[in-house]
Amino acid sequence: MSEIHYLPMSVGLLGGLAIFLYGMEKMSLALKRAAGDKMRTILARLTSNRLAGVVTGAGVTAVIQSSSVTTVLVVGFISAGLMNLSQAVGVIMGANIGTTVTAQIIAFKVTKAALAMVAIGFFLEFLAKRDINKHYGSMLFGLGLIFLGMNMMSEAMSPLRTYQPFIELMTHMDNVLLSILVAALFTALIQSSSATTGIIIVLAGQGFISLESGIALAMGANIGTCITALLAAIGKSREAMQAAAVHISFNVLGVVLWLPLLALLSAISIGISPSYPQLVGIDKLAAELPRQIANANTLFNLLNTVLMVPFAGAFVWLARKLIPHRSASPSEKKAKAISPKYINESFIETPDIALDHAQLELGRVGRRVCNMLDLLPPLAMNYASSADKRTALAKLNQIESIEKEVDELHAAILAYLGRLRTAPLSDKQSNQQIKLISITDQMESAADLIVSGILPLAYKALNEGTTASPMMRRILDSIQNRVQQAMLDCVNGIRRNDDALAHKVLSAKREINSQLNSVLAHQAERLAEQNPTRLRIFRYEMEWVEQLKRIYTLSKRIAKLQLRKRHLIVNDN
C-alpha cells in the first residue's frame, strides 16, 4: 500500500473541484446570454400542450444546463401570472431530460483538449467584437475549465486507487439508499445536479464506484436539485409553491419507481454503452463506467418523463391538495396590488427575460397613470349638488392613492433594472435597460404632474364653486380626452411592442394644437365680458390646459423612446 500525501492530494482535489464548479457556472451563464432571446421566445410561445411543454423544458435546460434554473424561471412565470400550473408541469418534467446533456458531454473522453478549449475560449471572449462571439468564447472557456478541473481531481485521487482504507470506505457506497442521500445533500449544497453528475463520472473514471452506485448517486442528484426550486418558491404565490411541489414529487417518485429496477437499468445502460473487452480490472471499469452512468442517467430521466407525462394532471391535483389555495385578506390584496407582479429576482441571470418582465411591470405603472387621468373630473368647476361634489372629492382622493402606488412601482422597477448591471449586458440589452429607465421616469413624472399640477386646481375650484362656461367645458373635455387617449396609446404601445401606437401618439400633436388654439380664441372673446370672476376662471382654465399640455409632452417623449429601439436593434445586428 503506497503512502498517501494528504496535503497535496487535498489541494489538488479541492482546487480541481473549484475550477470544475466555476467552469460549470461560466458555461451556464454564457449559454444563457447567448441564447437568452431565443429562450425567451420559446417560453413566451409555450402552450398548454404537455408534449410541447416537455420539449420546451428539455430544450431550454439543454441550453442553460440547469434544471434548477429552468424550474426557478417557471416559478417566476407562475408568480407573474404568465403561466399556469398545468403548463408548468410539462416544462418541469422536460427539464430533467435537458440536464443530462452535461453528463453526456463529460462522459466523452475529451478532457485532453481542456487546455486548448481554455486558450481558444479565453482569446475569443476577450478579442471578439460581437457580443454573440464573446458569449461563445466564454462558453468554450467554461467547458475547458470543466475538463481541466476534472483532470485535476482525477490526478489528485489516483493514489487512492491502491489505498485500502479508501477502498473500504467506497464499498459503503454500494448501499443504494446511502448513495442517494449523499448525492441529494451534496447537490442541495452546490445547487447543480449537472455538477454532481460530473463528479460522479470523475469517480467512475477512477474505478472507485460500481455502476449501480453511480446510478444511485445520479438519482440522488435529481432529488437534491429540487431544493433550488423550493427556495425560489418561498414567499411566492400558492401556484408557484405548487410548481415546486410538482418538481419534488416528480423527481422523488421517479427514484422510488426505479429503485427496485436498478439492476434492469444497469443492464440496459451496459447494453447501449461501448465496451472494452481488451481491458481488465480497474482499467476496464475506468474506461466503461463513465459512459454507462451517463447513459443510465439520460435513460432514467427520459423514461420517467415518458411514463409520467400522461399523469401530469395527477401531479397538479396532488400539488393543489398539498398546498391548497387560500383567500387573501383585504390587507394582503392591497399589498399585492401595490407590490410588483412581473419582476422577479429569478430572472436577473437571464437579462432578456428580465427586461421583458420589467416592461410588463412598466405597463402596470402606465395603466395606473391612465386610471388617474380617467378619474380626473373633466373640469372640476361645475357641480350641481353637494352629492356631485362628494363624488368628485372621492375621485380626487383616489387619484392621490394611485399616485402612491405609482411611486412604489417606479422605485421597484428602477431598483430591479439597476440590479441587472451586476452582470455584463450586451449593447442591445444595455440600450433596452436605459430606455426602460427613461420611460419609467417619464411615467412617474406624468403622475406627479397630475397630483402636483392639476389636483390643487381641482380642489381649489371645487371648494370655491368655480363654474366654467358650457362651451369652454366642452373644449377642455375634448383636450383632456385626447391627452388621456395619447397616454393610453403610449402604455399599450409599450406593453404590446406596437410602434403604430407610438406613431399615433406623435401624430396627435396637430389635433391637440388645434384644440389649444380653440381655447385661446375662445378665451380672447370671453375676456371682454364684464364678469368679476372672469379673470379668476381664466387663470384656472389656462393652468389646467397647460398641465394637460405637459402631460401630452411626456407622452410624446415616451413614444419617441419606444420608436428609438428599432434603430438600436438594427445597429446591434
Side-chain angles (χ1 to χ4, degrees):
M1 183 176 68
S2 59
E3 184 181 353
I4 297 295
H5 300 282
Y6 290 103
L7 182 60
M9 186 182 70
S10 300
V11 170
L13 183 60
L14 294 176
L17 179 60
I19 292 173
F20 177 86
L21 293 176
Y22 177 69
M24 286 287 299
E25 177 68 20
K26 191 168 184 67
M27 185 181 74
S28 176
L29 186 61
L31 283 165
K32 282 186 283 186
R33 296 197 182 285
D37 194 50
K38 294 176 184 176
M39 181 171 61
R40 173 188 61 185
T41 304
I42 290 170
L43 288 170
R45 292 178 180 174
L46 186 69
T47 67
S48 58
N49 183 290
R50 289 174 188 168
L51 182 59
V54 170
V55 173
T56 300
V60 169
T61 307
V63 169
I64 62 178
Q65 279 308 293
S66 175
S67 60
S68 298
V69 171
T70 302
T71 309
V72 168
L73 285 174
V74 167
V75 168
F77 282 131
I78 291 174
S79 298
L82 301 178
M83 184 186 290
N84 59 42
L85 186 58
S86 297
Q87 288 175 302
V89 173
V91 181
I92 292 169
M93 290 181 173
N96 280 10
I97 298 173
T99 198
T100 64
V101 172
T102 302
Q104 291 290 351
I105 293 172
I106 293 173
F108 283 103
K109 298 292 186 178
V110 293
T111 53
K112 293 179 181 179
L115 289 177
M117 290 181 181
V118 169
I120 295 170
F122 174 83
F123 286 111
L124 186 59
E125 181 179 2
F126 282 92
L127 298 178
K129 300 296 183 184
R130 297 181 63 200
D131 286 327
I132 189 66
N133 291 334
K134 286 181 180 290
H135 293 324
Y136 288 144
S138 183
M139 177 191 70
L140 189 60
F141 185 39
L143 188 59
L145 289 176
I146 289 173
F147 293 134
L148 183 62
M150 287 179 62
N151 278 337
M152 291 181 66
M153 286 189 288
S154 293
E155 289 176 7
M157 289 190 295
S158 59
L160 295 175
R161 282 186 173 192
T162 56
Y163 188 56
Q164 194 60 35
F166 182 77
I167 294 171
E168 291 175 1
L169 176 65
M170 292 309 294
T171 58
H172 292 294
M173 297 309 293
D174 286 336
N175 184 319
V176 172
L177 294 179
L178 178 62
S179 297
I180 291 172
L181 179 62
V182 168
L185 291 175
F186 184 74
T187 305
L189 182 65
I190 65 173
Q191 297 194 5
S192 174
S193 60
S194 296
T196 302
T197 308
I199 293 168
I200 293 167
I201 289 172
V202 170
L203 291 171
Q206 291 294 323
F208 289 144
I209 56 176
S210 65
L211 175 56
E212 290 195 3
S213 295
I215 296 173
L217 287 166
M219 288 179 172
N222 271 29
I223 295 176
T225 196
C226 300
I227 299 299
T228 307
L230 183 62
L231 293 174
I234 294 173
K236 301 295 190 304
S237 67
R238 306 295 282 183
E239 201 163 36
M241 294 177 68
Q242 289 165 357
V246 167
H247 190 211
I248 294 170
S249 58
F250 170 70
N251 283 14
V252 171
L253 181 60
V255 171
V256 171
L257 285 176
W258 280 100
L259 270 179
L261 303 173
L262 205 55
L264 175 62
L265 187 59
S266 299
I268 296 173
S269 66
I270 291 172
I272 62 175
S273 303
S275 62
Y276 300 90
Q278 71 276 19
L279 300 176
V280 294
I282 199 166
D283 292 328
K284 180 177 174 66
L285 289 175
E288 295 178 350
L289 271 180
R291 289 234 48 77
Q292 291 170 358
I293 291 174
N295 289 337
N297 186 41
T298 300
L299 197 62
F300 164 72
N301 285 290
L302 184 62
L303 290 177
N304 267 347
T305 303
V306 171
L307 290 171
M308 296 189 200
V309 161
F311 303 100
F315 283 98
V316 173
W317 177 85
L318 178 63
R320 287 173 176 164
K321 284 292 182 183
L322 293 173
I323 308 172
H325 287 286
R326 59 182 179 85
S327 300
S329 65
S331 60
E332 287 175 329
K333 289 179 180 178
K334 184 178 179 181
K336 187 176 180 180
I338 298 173
S339 62
K341 178 180 178 182
Y342 296 110
I343 57 179
N344 191 299
E345 292 299 319
S346 59
F347 302 141
I348 289 290
E349 290 189 359
T350 49
D352 285 301
I353 294 177
L355 289 167
D356 272 1
H357 281 245
Q359 189 164 315
L360 288 171
E361 199 66 56
L362 183 53
R364 293 183 72 210
V365 175
R367 287 197 296 274
R368 279 163 170 74
V369 173
C370 291
N371 195 18
M372 291 170 72
L373 285 168
D374 187 50
L375 287 169
L376 197 66
L379 186 60
M381 299 179 188
N382 186 43
Y383 301 101
S385 66
S386 58
D388 291 337
K389 288 184 179 181
R390 285 196 299 272
T391 300
L393 188 61
K395 287 184 176 181
L396 297 182
N397 291 335
Q398 190 176 351
I399 289 170
E400 290 185 337
S401 298
I402 295 174
E403 196 265 345
K404 292 177 182 176
E405 293 183 10
V406 169
D407 286 343
E408 292 271 354
L409 293 176
H410 168 255
I413 292 171
L414 289 185
Y416 187 71
L417 290 171
R419 285 195 291 279
L420 276 176
R421 283 291 181 185
T422 56
L425 300 179
S426 67
D427 290 341
K428 177 181 170 182
Q429 291 165 346
S430 181
N431 288 326
Q432 175 75 348
Q433 182 212 31
I434 293 169
K435 185 192 77 170
L436 291 178
I437 289 172
S438 299
I439 292 176
T440 304
D441 280 337
Q442 301 296 337
M443 288 285 188
E444 201 265 343
S445 296
D448 284 345
L449 274 179
I450 295 170
V451 170
S452 62
I454 297 181
L455 279 194
L457 290 172
Y459 278 121
K460 197 170 183 181
L462 183 64
N463 292 331
E464 294 179 1
T466 306
T467 303
S469 68
M471 181 175 289
M472 193 62 190
R473 284 203 304 275
R474 283 196 299 272
I475 296 173
L476 290 176
D477 289 353
S478 177
I479 295 173
Q480 188 165 316
N481 289 336
R482 194 66 192 86
V483 170
Q484 183 178 340
Q485 183 60 49
M487 180 58 72
L488 184 61
D489 288 337
C490 265
V491 174
N492 287 332
I494 292 166
R495 290 176 59 233
R496 303 171 191 167
N497 281 320
D498 190 341
D499 289 352
L501 288 173
H503 284 295
K504 184 179 176 183
V505 173
L506 297 177
S507 64
K509 179 179 178 179
R510 182 176 299 176
E511 180 186 348
I512 291 175
N513 282 341
S514 174
Q515 291 173 329
L516 293 173
N517 289 334
S518 299
V519 171
L520 291 174
H522 184 71
Q523 294 287 24
E525 292 177 8
R526 293 200 63 204
L527 279 176
E529 294 179 5
Q530 299 299 316
N531 186 333
T533 63
R534 180 62 218 143
L535 191 59
R536 178 162 54 86
I537 295 173
F538 172 82
R539 286 198 298 269
Y540 281 150
E541 291 170 345
M542 293 311 295
E543 182 61 25
W544 193 283
V545 169
E546 180 61 27
Q547 297 299 332
L548 291 174
K549 185 178 177 182
R550 290 178 183 175
I551 292 171
Y552 173 64
T553 298
L554 292 173
S555 299
K556 287 194 298 182
R557 289 177 186 171
I558 294 169
K560 289 175 181 176
L561 284 167
Q562 181 187 343
L563 292 173
R564 190 191 301 172
K565 72 178 178 182
R566 299 300 180 201
H567 171 68
L568 291 172
I569 290 175
V570 169
N571 284 347
D572 185 65
N573 291 337

